[in-house]
Amino acid sequence: MGVLTVPDLRNKKIDTLLTDYPFAETFLVNNGIDPEKFRDSSMEDYFRQLDPEHMEDHAIDPDHLLTQFADFVNQMLSFLGEDNKIVESITILPGHDKSGNPENFTEFVIRKNEIVSIVGPTGSGKSRLLGDIEWAAQNDTPTGRSILINKKTPDKKWRYSSSEKLVAQLSQNMNFVMDLSVFEFLELHAESRMITDRETVIKRIIKEANNLAGEKFDPDTPITALSGGQSRALMIADTAILSRSPIILIDEIENAGIDRKKALKLLLAEEKIVLMATHDPVLALMGNRRIVIKNGGIDKVIETTEEEKEILSEIEELDRKVQNMREKLRNGEKLTSE
Amino acid sequence: MNLVTVSGPPSVGKTSVILKTIVSLKERKLKVGVVKFDCLFTDDDILYEKAGVMVQKGLSGGLCPDHYFVSNIEEVTQWGLDNKFDILISESAGLCNRCSPYIKDIKAVCVIDNLSGIGTPKKIGPMLKSADIVIITKGDIVSQAEREVFASRVHSVNPGATILHVNGLTGQGSFELSTLLYDKDEDITTLKGKTLRFSMPAALCSYCLGETRIGESYQMGNVRKIDLGKREI
């Protein structure tokens, strides 16, 4: 199938269009056209039968609508035609800090299945670094950094496409706002990603989320009724499995009600690159390397030392103890000193 | 001079997005001016002044805000030229969710937020559908999944637009937006002869002219009745 043109769209029967491009239904429905009612008509017939007053009321401009329809179909075709080109690595090439001093590294490569922490005081430039990655900077942002994907200059699509963003974000302040059940919500997300076998994917997400959360929840629970831990767990499982973005940025995850180590494992198992902006030692030390940001620039890159790894197991032990106590309190038990 | 029209429903964060974007434009040594259109009241002009941006405000009062916008945009453009701006940004709220104060060949930006609900992209008319750039705000407080679903809904009603996420509080995404707003080869000297991208809703009935009484005998001109089905007697 080649590129779809406006004249094709105008004269082909809607039924034929839907057979050739099943996803076109989304476009028609969202633009107020009932595909069932107009199966045997072409778009041209559809416009012809519209009352001019109706067109005026609903702000329908046939030529504009057809151009957009063609854009939509062609974008979807190229989106679906892409054989999951996996992002194997991203490379950061140095720029400069706020005072113009060059950054002190030659190149920084992050591969999939890797966790890298980002540390530095508030306002030091962590968001700008992420901004550079998300925008696939080419020496055209305030820091002068460049980003390579799979060691090559990235495709422009990473900047402008709405369905393909490089970075997905998970942060402390995020909440669910839709008034839907867990199942309905995941179905909606899967639909927007054009997933065909939704049922299986949804079941898997719920299973993984329950695996991360302290307390289990059902598919029919309204998402706004989930506890903090459950929401966090669902967000992580959903992002790991359904989000198309190859890079996940985690901006602090709260300790309560969620197994953070399992959460990171899940993200890595889904072949994600994980960036973590955090000063929580349990999380920050989980990365093999950490980027230190100072005055808007990357000041240095530190490899997690053996000593730090030992410290990590100590604090993890402590963390587990606290989690157990929390669990006991939740279950109405008493705490004992051993 | 470049002219950019920014519109979007009330309280989505238009002013915050514009202010953050101006910071990046100023770093490029561009002279920016703003005109704020609103209905009854705004003190956003103070925010712009505080940020050192030259600003004019226009309140439509008893008139349709978008009709007011289009009746004044040429004068405002001349004000911008007199002040030798590199870029003039007009900000206006679309109140009836149908209007579209966008002008052909003038860059049009629509701002909407993630909190407005996934049905919203379908409900907003030309303001969203015919924008060149769609900015989605308040992404920092909803889940990744909701952001993705919302963006895909926007995409399905306006596939031609560039969709960007901008955070009006932290400014994340505003630098990126600034790169899309200014084009050094563009030079507007007048809007005379240009046309709106879409006609504005017609209204000329007795209430437009000050009628306050309710009842059929007071309704004249362009009046339309709601269809409540056949009434059983």
Side-chain angles (χ1 to χ4, degrees), chain B residues 122-153:
Chain B
K122 210 168 138 181
K123 284 189 229 161
I124 306 179
M127 184 167 73
L128 177 62
K129 289 183 187 169
S130 64
D132 303 309
I133 301 170
V134 179
I135 301 299
I136 307 178
T137 58
K138 302 185 189 170
D140 55 329
I141 45 179
V142 303
S143 64
Q144 174 70 26
E146 283 158 302
R147 280 194 296 278
E148 289 182 17
V149 171
F150 196 80
S152 93
R153 289 287 163 106

Side-chain angles (χ1 to χ4, degrees), chain A residues 26-27 29-31 53 55-61 64 68-69 71-72 75-76 128 131-132 134-135 140-142 159-160 162 165 167-171 173-178 185 188-189 191-193 223 235 238-239 242-245, chain B residues 24 27 98 114-115 117-118 121-122 125-126 129-131 139-153 155-165 170-173 175-177 179-180 197-202 222 224:
Chain A
T26 322
F27 181 86
V29 171
N30 278 322
N31 283 286
E53 200 172 329
M55 288 172 76
E56 180 67 35
D57 281 357
H58 293 83
I60 299 167
D61 174 349
H64 184 65
Q68 299 226 316
F69 196 0
D71 274 354
F72 182 81
Q75 284 170 14
M76 278 301 169
R128 188 62 255 159
D132 285 349
E134 183 156 41
W135 190 240
D140 57 358
T141 65
R159 279 194 181 182
Y160 302 119
S162 66
K165 290 273 174 225
V167 183
Q169 277 193 46
L170 286 168
S171 100
N173 316 329
M174 288 174 186
N175 287 297
F176 289 121
V177 292
M178 287 181 194
F185 173 74
L188 204 65
H189 192 196
E191 202 183 284
S192 80
R193 287 283 331 279
I223 47 171
M235 276 183 208
D238 166 84
T239 303
L242 264 184
S243 176
R244 211 180 149 91
S245 307
Chain B
S24 302
E27 267 164 26
R98 178 198 173 286
N114 272 301
L115 294 179
I118 44 162
K122 210 168 138 181
K129 289 183 187 169
S130 64
D140 55 329
I141 45 179
V142 303
S143 64
Q144 174 70 26
E146 283 158 302
R147 280 194 296 278
E148 289 182 17
V149 171
F150 196 80
S152 93
R153 289 287 163 106
H155 175 244
S156 74
V157 296
N158 189 350
T162 302
I163 302 174
L164 281 185
H165 292 264
T170 62
Q172 197 180 344
F175 164 79
E176 287 77 2
L177 172 60
T179 64
L180 303 178
R197 294 193 189 185
F198 208 85
S199 65
M200 291 183 166
N222 197 353
R224 192 184 311 164

